[in-house]
């Protein structure tokens, strides 16, 4: 485990401080996989709401960072063109080399594009006053991914911020089936490999929503792009793009952020930041505590949040390596799909 904080509480102390599940039954805490049979249920609000209020009261200048990132659209354009060039280059490549470059290069680019879509979902490209432009830029960034998902991501990601860890609301939290089954090192490794499928299918099981017009348009545009690439350059470029997404979002160094962000490496902490060099190609998604405190601040400005209010962040546990995060997730008994904080929310009546 790579976190900077006080040492992990002894297991006996953790168990003595364990909360209770909603049905009142006592729950084990972060013991081995066989002894943990539920999530970490809490009855407090997410910490980001109060911290945001305190920071804004002390440092109102942070509000000036709540502005669009003018470079985001150009970064997206460069990444999409990069993958189109790669599609042309892999046309006659041997299959083994195609898969190698899909993992080593295409996986990084496509994962970076999904994180650009994440930033765009917060209207980071053109601001809240140009919602349509943001939605269509996300659809454009979606093209090399091979399957339509940008519009659906936006729809569910709002709930992840508003209802962090919310039972039946935050689809970022694994299901009970995942927690029960993926409890050994081999199974947790398989879970990491299959992450793209779980992230795609989990919303349909946990919190299904009606299909929106934007999702239909996203699908039509994506299908048209896929057909065009296949007609122009054949099957291998399409396999390259799909492999880039599946491999880059599965067991890949960048995918460590999926686990690093919210899995409970230390009891009492449900969001963690990573300040390492992989932020350079992931739109600063590693600044995740800062992001949840200020989701309207684009990734490019999140380091300034930490710089302006260091006393709120420097003492918090943080990760130093996403690869080490993946290693610990697989081999530490205390970690697994159940190692997530959950809470029950009342649904807000006002929609976003």
């Amino acid at each position: 485990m790579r976190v900077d904080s006080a040492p992990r509480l002894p297991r006996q102390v953790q168990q003595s401080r364990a909360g209770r599940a909603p049905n009142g039954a006592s729950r084990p805490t972060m013991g081995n996989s066989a002894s943990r049979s539920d999530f970490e249920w809490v009855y407090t609000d997410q910490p980001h709401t109060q911290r945001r209020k305190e920071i804004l009261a002390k440092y109102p200048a942070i509000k000036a960072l709540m502005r669009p990132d003018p470079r985001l659209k150009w970064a997206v354009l460069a990444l999409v063109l990069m993958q189109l060039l790669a599609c042309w280059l892999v046309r006659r490549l041997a299959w083994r080399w195609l898969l190698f470059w899909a993992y080593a290069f295409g996986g990084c680019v496509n994962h970076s594009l999904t994180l650009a879509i994440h930033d765009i979902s917060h209207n980071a490209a053109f601001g809240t006053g140009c919602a349509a432009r943001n939605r269509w830029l996300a659809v454009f960034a979606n093209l090399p991914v091979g399957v339509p998902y940008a519009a659906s991501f936006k729809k569910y990601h709002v709930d992840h911020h508003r209802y962090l860890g919310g039972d039946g609301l935050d689809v970022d939290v694994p299901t009970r089936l995942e927690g029960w089954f993926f409890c050994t090192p081999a199974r947790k490794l398989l879970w990491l490999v299959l992450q793209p499928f779980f992230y795609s299918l989990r919303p349909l099981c946990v919190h299904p929503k009606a299909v929106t017009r934007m999702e239909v348009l996203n699908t039509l545009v994506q299908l048209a792009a896929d057909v065009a690439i296949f007609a122009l350059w054949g099957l291998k470029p399409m396999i390259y793009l799909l492999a880039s997404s599946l491999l880059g979002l599965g067991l890949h160094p960048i995918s460590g952020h999926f686990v690093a962000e919210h899995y409970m490496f230390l009891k009492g902490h449900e969001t963690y930041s990573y300040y390492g060099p992989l932020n350079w190609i992931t739109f600063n998604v590693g600044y995740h505590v800062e992001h949840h405190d200020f989701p309207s601040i684009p990734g490019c400005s999140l380091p300034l949040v930490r710089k302006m209010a260091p006393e709120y962040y420097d003492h918090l546990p943080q990760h130093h390596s996403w690869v080490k995060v993946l290693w610990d997730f697989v081999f530490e008994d205390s970690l697994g799909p159940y190692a997530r904080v959950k809470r029950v929310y009342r649904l807000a009546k006002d929609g976003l």
Side-chain angles (χ1 to χ4, degrees):
M1 181 185 69
R2 297 285 294 173
V3 287
D4 281 343
S5 185
R8 186 194 295 262
L9 291 172
R11 185 169 298 170
Q12 297 87 341
V13 177
Q14 291 181 7
Q15 291 173 345
S16 69
R17 297 184 183 182
R20 292 182 175 270
N23 60 8
S26 55
R27 262 188 326 90
T29 57
M30 297 288 284
N32 58 42
S33 57
S35 66
R36 187 172 185 90
S37 59
D38 203 353
F39 300 99
E40 182 78 8
W41 291 92
V42 299
Y43 300 93
T44 56
D45 191 13
Q46 57 170 292
H48 304 286
T49 306
Q50 181 60 32
R51 185 161 51 234
R52 181 187 308 123
K53 292 179 181 178
E54 292 181 12
I55 293 176
L56 286 176
K58 190 173 182 180
Y59 302 105
I62 283 182
K63 292 180 180 179
L65 302 177
M66 300 176 184
R67 59 180 185 270
D69 175 7
R71 297 172 295 181
L72 182 54
K73 57 183 177 293
W74 302 117
V76 167
L77 177 61
L79 291 169
V80 171
L81 293 178
M82 203 179 296
Q83 280 295 69
L84 289 177
L85 176 60
C87 284
W88 182 79
L89 292 173
V90 303
R91 291 171 302 155
R92 297 181 179 86
L93 209 58
W95 285 107
R96 64 180 181 276
W97 287 110
L98 183 149
L99 293 176
F100 170 80
W101 287 113
Y103 184 86
F105 177 76
C108 297
V109 176
N110 275 14
H111 203 134
S112 184
L113 280 168
T114 65
L115 295 172
I117 292 171
H118 164 261
D119 242 21
I120 297 167
S121 74
H122 292 283
N123 299 309
F126 300 103
T128 55
C130 300
R133 291 185 183 181
N134 286 292
R135 301 294 82 77
W136 282 109
L137 180 63
V139 170
F140 177 71
N142 195 158
L143 296 180
V145 178
V147 293
Y149 100 102
S152 299
F153 176 83
K154 162 68 176 177
K155 182 172 68 175
Y156 284 102
H157 192 63
V158 170
D159 290 342
H160 171 60
H161 279 270
R162 175 178 284 182
Y163 308 114
L164 181 63
D167 185 35
L169 297 171
D170 183 359
V171 298
D172 187 69
V173 179
T175 61
R176 287 187 178 276
L177 178 61
E178 293 170 71
W180 168 77
F181 184 77
F182 296 100
C183 59
T184 66
R187 293 180 185 180
K188 287 190 284 185
L189 184 65
L190 177 62
W191 185 82
L192 291 174
V193 172
L194 298 177
Q195 272 191 104
F197 298 100
F198 287 116
Y199 270 87
S200 300
L201 299 176
R202 192 184 297 139
L204 304 179
C205 303
V206 175
H207 192 201
K209 296 184 178 184
V211 176
T212 65
R213 177 176 176 271
M214 198 65 215
E215 286 177 295
V216 173
L217 294 173
N218 188 181
T219 301
L220 294 175
V221 171
Q222 187 64 53
L223 289 175
D226 292 347
V227 169
I229 291 173
F230 178 78
L232 285 171
W233 298 320
L235 179 63
K236 283 188 175 180
M238 277 308 308
I239 297 298
Y240 165 79
L241 291 179
L242 293 172
S244 295
S245 297
L246 293 176
L247 297 175
L249 295 169
L251 188 61
H252 192 280
I254 298 178
S255 292
H257 81 86
F258 287 131
V259 177
E261 291 165 358
H262 296 294
Y263 284 80
M264 196 173 67
F265 282 73
L266 283 175
K267 186 175 176 65
H269 296 273
E270 58 184 301
T271 308
Y272 304 79
S273 284
Y274 156 82
Y275 302 120
L278 287 179
N279 280 301
W280 301 342
I281 59 172
T282 56
F283 298 92
N284 283 332
V285 74
Y287 287 76
H288 215 67
V289 176
E290 293 86 344
H291 170 62
H292 271 264
D293 286 352
F294 300 98
S296 58
I297 295 179
C300 67
S301 297
L302 291 177
L304 294 176
V305 173
R306 184 190 180 204
K307 185 177 181 180
M308 294 172 72
E311 70 272 25
Y312 286 94
Y313 298 107
D314 288 350
H315 71 285
L316 296 177
Q318 59 185 253
H319 294 289
H320 297 284
S321 167
W322 283 339
V323 174
K324 185 63 164 58
V325 164
L326 294 174
W327 178 273
D328 289 345
F329 182 83
V330 171
F331 292 107
E332 284 199 14
D333 290 339
S334 62
L335 296 171
Y338 266 144
R340 289 292 296 263
V341 170
K342 290 193 75 173
R343 48 176 61 84
V344 177
Y345 281 94
R346 292 182 180 180
L347 280 175
K349 295 182 180 180
D350 57 313
L352 282 186

